[in-house]
mmCIF file with all atom_site columns, all heavy atoms in Angstrom:
data_model
loop_
_atom_site.group_PDB
_atom_site.id
_atom_site.type_symbol
_atom_site.label_atom_id
_atom_site.label_alt_id
_atom_site.label_comp_id
_atom_site.label_asym_id
_atom_site.label_entity_id
_atom_site.label_seq_id
_atom_site.pdbx_PDB_ins_code
_atom_site.Cartn_x
_atom_site.Cartn_y
_atom_site.Cartn_z
_atom_site.occupancy
_atom_site.B_iso_or_equiv
_atom_site.pdbx_formal_charge
_atom_site.auth_seq_id
_atom_site.auth_comp_id
_atom_site.auth_asym_id
_atom_site.auth_atom_id
_atom_site.pdbx_PDB_model_num
ATOM 1   N N   . LEU O 1 1  ? 26.436 65.666 16.005 1.00 0.00 ? 1  LEU O N   1
ATOM 2   C CA  . LEU O 1 1  ? 26.002 66.000 14.665 1.00 0.00 ? 1  LEU O CA  1
ATOM 3   C C   . LEU O 1 1  ? 25.455 67.400 14.608 1.00 0.00 ? 1  LEU O C   1
ATOM 4   O O   . LEU O 1 1  ? 24.644 67.802 15.422 1.00 0.00 ? 1  LEU O O   1
ATOM 5   C CB  . LEU O 1 1  ? 24.928 65.009 14.200 1.00 0.00 ? 1  LEU O CB  1
ATOM 6   C CG  . LEU O 1 1  ? 25.302 63.545 14.106 1.00 0.00 ? 1  LEU O CG  1
ATOM 7   C CD1 . LEU O 1 1  ? 24.174 62.718 13.531 1.00 0.00 ? 1  LEU O CD1 1
ATOM 8   C CD2 . LEU O 1 1  ? 26.581 63.339 13.266 1.00 0.00 ? 1  LEU O CD2 1
ATOM 9   N N   . GLY O 1 2  ? 25.903 68.151 13.605 1.00 0.00 ? 2  GLY O N   1
ATOM 10  C CA  . GLY O 1 2  ? 25.369 69.477 13.327 1.00 0.00 ? 2  GLY O CA  1
ATOM 11  C C   . GLY O 1 2  ? 25.366 69.651 11.831 1.00 0.00 ? 2  GLY O C   1
ATOM 12  O O   . GLY O 1 2  ? 25.220 68.683 11.085 1.00 0.00 ? 2  GLY O O   1
ATOM 13  N N   . ASP O 1 3  ? 25.541 70.876 11.354 1.00 0.00 ? 3  ASP O N   1
ATOM 14  C CA  . ASP O 1 3  ? 25.660 71.104 9.915  1.00 0.00 ? 3  ASP O CA  1
ATOM 15  C C   . ASP O 1 3  ? 26.842 70.343 9.396  1.00 0.00 ? 3  ASP O C   1
ATOM 16  O O   . ASP O 1 3  ? 27.901 70.229 10.050 1.00 0.00 ? 3  ASP O O   1
ATOM 17  C CB  . ASP O 1 3  ? 25.864 72.596 9.641  1.00 0.00 ? 3  ASP O CB  1
ATOM 18  C CG  . ASP O 1 3  ? 24.536 73.283 9.390  1.00 0.00 ? 3  ASP O CG  1
ATOM 19  O OD1 . ASP O 1 3  ? 23.489 72.668 9.647  1.00 0.00 ? 3  ASP O OD1 1
ATOM 20  O OD2 . ASP O 1 3  ? 24.541 74.430 8.931  1.00 0.00 ? 3  ASP O OD2 1
ATOM 21  N N   . ILE O 1 4  ? 26.748 69.830 8.175  1.00 0.00 ? 4  ILE O N   1
ATOM 22  C CA  . ILE O 1 4  ? 27.827 69.091 7.576  1.00 0.00 ? 4  ILE O CA  1
ATOM 23  C C   . ILE O 1 4  ? 29.066 69.964 7.365  1.00 0.00 ? 4  ILE O C   1
ATOM 24  O O   . ILE O 1 4  ? 30.209 69.489 7.270  1.00 0.00 ? 4  ILE O O   1
ATOM 25  C CB  . ILE O 1 4  ? 27.381 68.472 6.207  1.00 0.00 ? 4  ILE O CB  1
ATOM 26  C CG1 . ILE O 1 4  ? 28.344 67.397 5.755  1.00 0.00 ? 4  ILE O CG1 1
ATOM 27  C CG2 . ILE O 1 4  ? 27.190 69.555 5.141  1.00 0.00 ? 4  ILE O CG2 1
ATOM 28  C CD1 . ILE O 1 4  ? 27.807 66.575 4.556  1.00 0.00 ? 4  ILE O CD1 1
ATOM 29  N N   . THR O 1 5  ? 28.880 71.296 7.345  1.00 0.00 ? 5  THR O N   1
ATOM 30  C CA  . THR O 1 5  ? 29.970 72.241 7.103  1.00 0.00 ? 5  THR O CA  1
ATOM 31  C C   . THR O 1 5  ? 30.802 72.509 8.351  1.00 0.00 ? 5  THR O C   1
ATOM 32  O O   . THR O 1 5  ? 31.920 73.020 8.246  1.00 0.00 ? 5  THR O O   1
ATOM 33  C CB  . THR O 1 5  ? 29.401 73.593 6.601  1.00 0.00 ? 5  THR O CB  1
ATOM 34  O OG1 . THR O 1 5  ? 28.511 74.110 7.587  1.00 0.00 ? 5  THR O OG1 1
ATOM 35  C CG2 . THR O 1 5  ? 28.692 73.415 5.290  1.00 0.00 ? 5  THR O CG2 1
ATOM 36  N N   . ILE O 1 6  ? 30.273 72.201 9.552  1.00 0.00 ? 6  ILE O N   1
ATOM 37  C CA  . ILE O 1 6  ? 30.975 72.549 10.774 1.00 0.00 ? 6  ILE O CA  1
ATOM 38  C C   . ILE O 1 6  ? 31.235 71.381 11.693 1.00 0.00 ? 6  ILE O C   1
ATOM 39  O O   . ILE O 1 6  ? 31.908 71.497 12.725 1.00 0.00 ? 6  ILE O O   1
ATOM 40  C CB  . ILE O 1 6  ? 30.183 73.595 11.603 1.00 0.00 ? 6  ILE O CB  1
ATOM 41  C CG1 . ILE O 1 6  ? 28.786 73.037 11.971 1.00 0.00 ? 6  ILE O CG1 1
ATOM 42  C CG2 . ILE O 1 6  ? 30.058 74.930 10.842 1.00 0.00 ? 6  ILE O CG2 1
ATOM 43  C CD1 . ILE O 1 6  ? 28.002 73.921 12.905 1.00 0.00 ? 6  ILE O CD1 1
ATOM 44  N N   . THR O 1 7  ? 30.766 70.202 11.335 1.00 0.00 ? 7  THR O N   1
ATOM 45  C CA  . THR O 1 7  ? 30.879 69.026 12.194 1.00 0.00 ? 7  THR O CA  1
ATOM 46  C C   . THR O 1 7  ? 32.126 68.230 11.877 1.00 0.00 ? 7  THR O C   1
ATOM 47  O O   . THR O 1 7  ? 32.222 67.640 10.784 1.00 0.00 ? 7  THR O O   1
ATOM 48  C CB  . THR O 1 7  ? 29.641 68.138 12.086 1.00 0.00 ? 7  THR O CB  1
ATOM 49  O OG1 . THR O 1 7  ? 28.463 68.909 12.401 1.00 0.00 ? 7  THR O OG1 1
ATOM 50  C CG2 . THR O 1 7  ? 29.721 66.986 13.084 1.00 0.00 ? 7  THR O CG2 1
ATOM 51  N N   . GLY O 1 8  ? 33.080 68.265 12.773 1.00 0.00 ? 8  GLY O N   1
ATOM 52  C CA  . GLY O 1 8  ? 34.328 67.518 12.559 1.00 0.00 ? 8  GLY O CA  1
ATOM 53  C C   . GLY O 1 8  ? 34.246 66.099 13.051 1.00 0.00 ? 8  GLY O C   1
ATOM 54  O O   . GLY O 1 8  ? 33.647 65.820 14.117 1.00 0.00 ? 8  GLY O O   1
ATOM 55  N N   . GLY O 1 9  ? 34.872 65.191 12.299 1.00 0.00 ? 9  GLY O N   1
ATOM 56  C CA  . GLY O 1 9  ? 34.911 63.800 12.715 1.00 0.00 ? 9  GLY O CA  1
ATOM 57  C C   . GLY O 1 9  ? 36.254 63.466 13.360 1.00 0.00 ? 9  GLY O C   1
ATOM 58  O O   . GLY O 1 9  ? 37.192 64.234 13.313 1.00 0.00 ? 9  GLY O O   1
ATOM 59  N N   . ILE O 1 10 ? 36.318 62.270 13.951 1.00 0.00 ? 10 ILE O N   1
ATOM 60  C CA  . ILE O 1 10 ? 37.541 61.785 14.543 1.00 0.00 ? 10 ILE O CA  1
ATOM 61  C C   . ILE O 1 10 ? 37.906 60.474 13.887 1.00 0.00 ? 10 ILE O C   1
ATOM 62  O O   . ILE O 1 10 ? 37.034 59.697 13.487 1.00 0.00 ? 10 ILE O O   1
ATOM 63  C CB  . ILE O 1 10 ? 37.422 61.583 16.074 1.00 0.00 ? 10 ILE O CB  1
ATOM 64  C CG1 . ILE O 1 10 ? 36.313 60.587 16.397 1.00 0.00 ? 10 ILE O CG1 1
ATOM 65  C CG2 . ILE O 1 10 ? 37.155 62.922 16.770 1.00 0.00 ? 10 ILE O CG2 1
ATOM 66  C CD1 . ILE O 1 10 ? 36.245 60.160 17.859 1.00 0.00 ? 10 ILE O CD1 1
ATOM 67  N N   . GLU O 1 11 ? 39.180 60.222 13.741 1.00 0.00 ? 11 GLU O N   1
ATOM 68  C CA  . GLU O 1 11 ? 39.621 58.904 13.240 1.00 0.00 ? 11 GLU O CA  1
ATOM 69  C C   . GLU O 1 11 ? 39.271 57.848 14.272 1.00 0.00 ? 11 GLU O C   1
ATOM 70  O O   . GLU O 1 11 ? 39.565 57.988 15.437 1.00 0.00 ? 11 GLU O O   1
ATOM 71  C CB  . GLU O 1 11 ? 41.122 58.912 12.944 1.00 0.00 ? 11 GLU O CB  1
ATOM 72  C CG  . GLU O 1 11 ? 41.501 59.825 11.781 1.00 0.00 ? 11 GLU O CG  1
ATOM 73  C CD  . GLU O 1 11 ? 42.962 59.638 11.383 1.00 0.00 ? 11 GLU O CD  1
ATOM 74  O OE1 . GLU O 1 11 ? 43.271 58.550 10.810 1.00 0.00 ? 11 GLU O OE1 1
ATOM 75  O OE2 . GLU O 1 11 ? 43.745 60.551 11.651 1.00 0.00 ? 11 GLU O OE2 1
ATOM 76  N N   . SER O 1 12 ? 38.654 56.773 13.781 1.00 0.00 ? 12 SER O N   1
ATOM 77  C CA  . SER O 1 12 ? 38.152 55.769 14.747 1.00 0.00 ? 12 SER O CA  1
ATOM 78  C C   . SER O 1 12 ? 37.895 54.466 14.045 1.00 0.00 ? 12 SER O C   1
ATOM 79  O O   . SER O 1 12 ? 37.689 54.395 12.820 1.00 0.00 ? 12 SER O O   1
ATOM 80  C CB  . SER O 1 12 ? 36.821 56.281 15.351 1.00 0.00 ? 12 SER O CB  1
ATOM 81  O OG  . SER O 1 12 ? 36.215 55.294 16.148 1.00 0.00 ? 12 SER O OG  1
ATOM 82  N N   . ASP O 1 13 ? 37.973 53.389 14.817 1.00 0.00 ? 13 ASP O N   1
ATOM 83  C CA  . ASP O 1 13 ? 37.566 52.053 14.335 1.00 0.00 ? 13 ASP O CA  1
ATOM 84  C C   . ASP O 1 13 ? 36.299 51.564 15.043 1.00 0.00 ? 13 ASP O C   1
ATOM 85  O O   . ASP O 1 13 ? 35.932 50.401 14.909 1.00 0.00 ? 13 ASP O O   1
ATOM 86  C CB  . ASP O 1 13 ? 38.690 51.039 14.600 1.00 0.00 ? 13 ASP O CB  1
ATOM 87  C CG  . ASP O 1 13 ? 39.920 51.288 13.726 1.00 0.00 ? 13 ASP O CG  1
ATOM 88  O OD1 . ASP O 1 13 ? 39.730 51.561 12.519 1.00 0.00 ? 13 ASP O OD1 1
ATOM 89  O OD2 . ASP O 1 13 ? 41.041 51.275 14.238 1.00 0.00 ? 13 ASP O OD2 1
ATOM 90  N N   . ALA O 1 14 ? 35.680 52.461 15.808 1.00 0.00 ? 14 ALA O N   1
ATOM 91  C CA  . ALA O 1 14 ? 34.498 52.093 16.588 1.00 0.00 ? 14 ALA O CA  1
ATOM 92  C C   . ALA O 1 14 ? 33.272 51.982 15.685 1.00 0.00 ? 14 ALA O C   1
ATOM 93  O O   . ALA O 1 14 ? 32.605 52.979 15.403 1.00 0.00 ? 14 ALA O O   1
ATOM 94  C CB  . ALA O 1 14 ? 34.249 53.103 17.708 1.00 0.00 ? 14 ALA O CB  1
ATOM 95  N N   . ASP O 1 15 ? 32.962 50.772 15.253 1.00 0.00 ? 15 ASP O N   1
ATOM 96  C CA  . ASP O 1 15 ? 31.834 50.526 14.343 1.00 0.00 ? 15 ASP O CA  1
ATOM 97  C C   . ASP O 1 15 ? 30.703 49.771 15.001 1.00 0.00 ? 15 ASP O C   1
ATOM 98  O O   . ASP O 1 15 ? 29.756 49.313 14.335 1.00 0.00 ? 15 ASP O O   1
ATOM 99  C CB  . ASP O 1 15 ? 32.296 49.834 13.079 1.00 0.00 ? 15 ASP O CB  1
ATOM 100 C CG  . ASP O 1 15 ? 33.046 48.543 13.368 1.00 0.00 ? 15 ASP O CG  1
ATOM 101 O OD1 . ASP O 1 15 ? 33.152 48.141 14.553 1.00 0.00 ? 15 ASP O OD1 1
ATOM 102 O OD2 . ASP O 1 15 ? 33.573 47.931 12.403 1.00 0.00 ? 15 ASP O OD2 1
ATOM 103 N N   . THR O 1 16 ? 30.747 49.609 16.337 1.00 0.00 ? 16 THR O N   1
ATOM 104 C CA  . THR O 1 16 ? 29.668 48.990 17.077 1.00 0.00 ? 16 THR O CA  1
ATOM 105 C C   . THR O 1 16 ? 29.433 49.823 18.346 1.00 0.00 ? 16 THR O C   1
ATOM 106 O O   . THR O 1 16 ? 30.304 50.625 18.751 1.00 0.00 ? 16 THR O O   1
ATOM 107 C CB  . THR O 1 16 ? 29.990 47.555 17.495 1.00 0.00 ? 16 THR O CB  1
ATOM 108 O OG1 . THR O 1 16 ? 31.077 47.570 18.431 1.00 0.00 ? 16 THR O OG1 1
ATOM 109 C CG2 . THR O 1 16 ? 30.346 46.715 16.297 1.00 0.00 ? 16 THR O CG2 1
ATOM 110 N N   . LEU O 1 17 ? 28.275 49.665 18.982 1.00 0.00 ? 17 LEU O N   1
ATOM 111 C CA  . LEU O 1 17 ? 27.981 50.394 20.201 1.00 0.00 ? 17 LEU O CA  1
ATOM 112 C C   . LEU O 1 17 ? 28.978 50.036 21.290 1.00 0.00 ? 17 LEU O C   1
ATOM 113 O O   . LEU O 1 17 ? 29.395 50.880 22.098 1.00 0.00 ? 17 LEU O O   1
ATOM 114 C CB  . LEU O 1 17 ? 26.536 50.109 20.671 1.00 0.00 ? 17 LEU O CB  1
ATOM 115 C CG  . LEU O 1 17 ? 25.429 50.745 19.828 1.00 0.00 ? 17 LEU O CG  1
ATOM 116 C CD1 . LEU O 1 17 ? 24.067 50.278 20.324 1.00 0.00 ? 17 LEU O CD1 1
ATOM 117 C CD2 . LEU O 1 17 ? 25.510 52.267 19.901 1.00 0.00 ? 17 LEU O CD2 1
ATOM 118 N N   . GLU O 1 18 ? 29.369 48.736 21.338 1.00 0.00 ? 18 GLU O N   1
ATOM 119 C CA  . GLU O 1 18 ? 30.318 48.311 22.380 1.00 0.00 ? 18 GLU O CA  1
ATOM 120 C C   . GLU O 1 18 ? 31.642 49.048 22.216 1.00 0.00 ? 18 GLU O C   1
ATOM 121 O O   . GLU O 1 18 ? 32.243 49.506 23.177 1.00 0.00 ? 18 GLU O O   1
ATOM 122 C CB  . GLU O 1 18 ? 30.531 46.795 22.280 1.00 0.00 ? 18 GLU O CB  1
ATOM 123 C CG  . GLU O 1 18 ? 29.353 45.945 22.721 1.00 0.00 ? 18 GLU O CG  1
ATOM 124 C CD  . GLU O 1 18 ? 28.238 45.872 21.706 1.00 0.00 ? 18 GLU O CD  1
ATOM 125 O OE1 . GLU O 1 18 ? 28.453 46.324 20.547 1.00 0.00 ? 18 GLU O OE1 1
ATOM 126 O OE2 . GLU O 1 18 ? 27.159 45.360 22.047 1.00 0.00 ? 18 GLU O OE2 1
ATOM 127 N N   . LYS O 1 19 ? 32.102 49.170 20.972 1.00 0.00 ? 19 LYS O N   1
ATOM 128 C CA  . LYS O 1 19 ? 33.378 49.870 20.709 1.00 0.00 ? 19 LYS O CA  1
ATOM 129 C C   . LYS O 1 19 ? 33.259 51.365 20.984 1.00 0.00 ? 19 LYS O C   1
ATOM 130 O O   . LYS O 1 19 ? 34.229 51.970 21.430 1.00 0.00 ? 19 LYS O O   1
ATOM 131 C CB  . LYS O 1 19 ? 33.819 49.602 19.279 1.00 0.00 ? 19 LYS O CB  1
ATOM 132 C CG  . LYS O 1 19 ? 34.274 48.174 18.990 1.00 0.00 ? 19 LYS O CG  1
ATOM 133 C CD  . LYS O 1 19 ? 34.702 47.998 17.532 1.00 0.00 ? 19 LYS O CD  1
ATOM 134 C CE  . LYS O 1 19 ? 35.131 46.583 17.229 1.00 0.00 ? 19 LYS O CE  1
ATOM 135 N NZ  . LYS O 1 19 ? 35.483 46.403 15.803 1.00 0.00 ? 19 LYS O NZ  1
ATOM 136 N N   . ILE O 1 20 ? 32.088 51.952 20.689 1.00 0.00 ? 20 ILE O N   1
ATOM 137 C CA  . ILE O 1 20 ? 31.913 53.371 20.959 1.00 0.00 ? 20 ILE O CA  1
ATOM 138 C C   . ILE O 1 20 ? 31.992 53.651 22.460 1.00 0.00 ? 20 ILE O C   1
ATOM 139 O O   . ILE O 1 20 ? 32.649 54.570 22.916 1.00 0.00 ? 20 ILE O O   1
ATOM 140 C CB  . ILE O 1 20 ? 30.563 53.861 20.398 1.00 0.00 ? 20 ILE O CB  1
ATOM 141 C CG1 . ILE O 1 20 ? 30.614 53.921 18.866 1.00 0.00 ? 20 ILE O CG1 1
ATOM 142 C CG2 . ILE O 1 20 ? 30.230 55.270 20.957 1.00 0.00 ? 20 ILE O CG2 1
ATOM 143 C CD1 . ILE O 1 20 ? 29.311 54.266 18.210 1.00 0.00 ? 20 ILE O CD1 1
ATOM 144 N N   . VAL O 1 21 ? 31.344 52.802 23.242 1.00 0.00 ? 21 VAL O N   1
ATOM 145 C CA  . VAL O 1 21 ? 31.394 52.940 24.717 1.00 0.00 ? 21 VAL O CA  1
ATOM 146 C C   . VAL O 1 21 ? 32.834 52.859 25.221 1.00 0.00 ? 21 VAL O C   1
ATOM 147 O O   . VAL O 1 21 ? 33.246 53.653 26.057 1.00 0.00 ? 21 VAL O O   1
ATOM 148 C CB  . VAL O 1 21 ? 30.509 51.865 25.394 1.00 0.00 ? 21 VAL O CB  1
ATOM 149 C CG1 . VAL O 1 21 ? 30.770 51.838 26.905 1.00 0.00 ? 21 VAL O CG1 1
ATOM 150 C CG2 . VAL O 1 21 ? 29.029 52.132 25.136 1.00 0.00 ? 21 VAL O CG2 1
ATOM 151 N N   . GLN O 1 22 ? 33.590 51.893 24.704 1.00 0.00 ? 22 GLN O N   1
ATOM 152 C CA  . GLN O 1 22 ? 34.988 51.763 25.098 1.00 0.00 ? 22 GLN O CA  1
ATOM 153 C C   . GLN O 1 22 ? 35.798 53.001 24.705 1.00 0.00 ? 22 GLN O C   1
ATOM 154 O O   . GLN O 1 22 ? 36.614 53.521 25.479 1.00 0.00 ? 22 GLN O O   1
ATOM 155 C CB  . GLN O 1 22 ? 35.577 50.514 24.473 1.00 0.00 ? 22 GLN O CB  1
ATOM 156 C CG  . GLN O 1 22 ? 35.028 49.195 25.032 1.00 0.00 ? 22 GLN O CG  1
ATOM 157 C CD  . GLN O 1 22 ? 35.605 47.993 24.308 1.00 0.00 ? 22 GLN O CD  1
ATOM 158 O OE1 . GLN O 1 22 ? 36.433 48.120 23.402 1.00 0.00 ? 22 GLN O OE1 1
ATOM 159 N NE2 . GLN O 1 22 ? 35.161 46.832 24.727 1.00 0.00 ? 22 GLN O NE2 1
ATOM 160 N N   . GLU O 1 23 ? 35.560 53.520 23.512 1.00 0.00 ? 23 GLU O N   1
ATOM 161 C CA  . GLU O 1 23 ? 36.286 54.676 23.014 1.00 0.00 ? 23 GLU O CA  1
ATOM 162 C C   . GLU O 1 23 ? 35.978 55.915 23.824 1.00 0.00 ? 23 GLU O C   1
ATOM 163 O O   . GLU O 1 23 ? 36.862 56.651 24.228 1.00 0.00 ? 23 GLU O O   1
ATOM 164 C CB  . GLU O 1 23 ? 35.959 54.895 21.547 1.00 0.00 ? 23 GLU O CB  1
ATOM 165 C CG  . GLU O 1 23 ? 36.754 56.028 20.888 1.00 0.00 ? 23 GLU O CG  1
ATOM 166 C CD  . GLU O 1 23 ? 36.393 56.194 19.434 1.00 0.00 ? 23 GLU O CD  1
ATOM 167 O OE1 . GLU O 1 23 ? 35.350 56.803 19.134 1.00 0.00 ? 23 GLU O OE1 1
ATOM 168 O OE2 . GLU O 1 23 ? 37.173 55.691 18.579 1.00 0.00 ? 23 GLU O OE2 1
ATOM 169 N N   . VAL O 1 24 ? 34.704 56.155 24.089 1.00 0.00 ? 24 VAL O N   1
ATOM 170 C CA  . VAL O 1 24 ? 34.277 57.348 24.835 1.00 0.00 ? 24 VAL O CA  1
ATOM 171 C C   . VAL O 1 24 ? 34.850 57.300 26.260 1.00 0.00 ? 24 VAL O C   1
ATOM 172 O O   . VAL O 1 24 ? 35.213 58.343 26.817 1.00 0.00 ? 24 VAL O O   1
ATOM 173 C CB  . VAL O 1 24 ? 32.742 57.452 24.862 1.00 0.00 ? 24 VAL O CB  1
ATOM 174 C CG1 . VAL O 1 24 ? 32.289 58.556 25.836 1.00 0.00 ? 24 VAL O CG1 1
ATOM 175 C CG2 . VAL O 1 24 ? 32.204 57.757 23.475 1.00 0.00 ? 24 VAL O CG2 1
ATOM 176 N N   . SER O 1 25 ? 34.933 56.128 26.853 1.00 0.00 ? 25 SER O N   1
ATOM 177 C CA  . SER O 1 25 ? 35.426 56.007 28.222 1.00 0.00 ? 25 SER O CA  1
ATOM 178 C C   . SER O 1 25 ? 36.874 56.462 28.352 1.00 0.00 ? 25 SER O C   1
ATOM 179 O O   . SER O 1 25 ? 37.305 56.856 29.440 1.00 0.00 ? 25 SER O O   1
ATOM 180 C CB  . SER O 1 25 ? 35.325 54.566 28.711 1.00 0.00 ? 25 SER O CB  1
ATOM 181 O OG  . SER O 1 25 ? 36.217 53.719 28.007 1.00 0.00 ? 25 SER O OG  1
ATOM 182 N N   . ALA O 1 26 ? 37.613 56.456 27.235 1.00 0.00 ? 26 ALA O N   1
ATOM 183 C CA  . ALA O 1 26 ? 39.029 56.874 27.278 1.00 0.00 ? 26 ALA O CA  1
ATOM 184 C C   . ALA O 1 26 ? 39.235 58.290 26.758 1.00 0.00 ? 26 ALA O C   1
ATOM 185 O O   . ALA O 1 26 ? 40.341 58.806 26.771 1.00 0.00 ? 26 ALA O O   1
ATOM 186 C CB  . ALA O 1 26 ? 39.850 55.896 26.444 1.00 0.00 ? 26 ALA O CB  1
#
């Protein structure tokens, strides 16, 4: 997270901590 003007998001279905951990691992 940074300024809303420079922070890019990624397409993702990770809506829980468990899914985020799985996503980051790959």
Side-chain angles (χ1 to χ4, degrees):
L1 299 184
D3 267 12
I4 196 170
T5 59
I6 60 172
T7 304
I10 60 171
E11 292 189 71
S12 173
D13 291 316
D15 54 5
T16 66
L17 288 174
E18 289 77 10
K19 290 180 181 178
I20 289 175
V21 169
Q22 291 177 0
E23 184 178 80
V24 171
S25 68

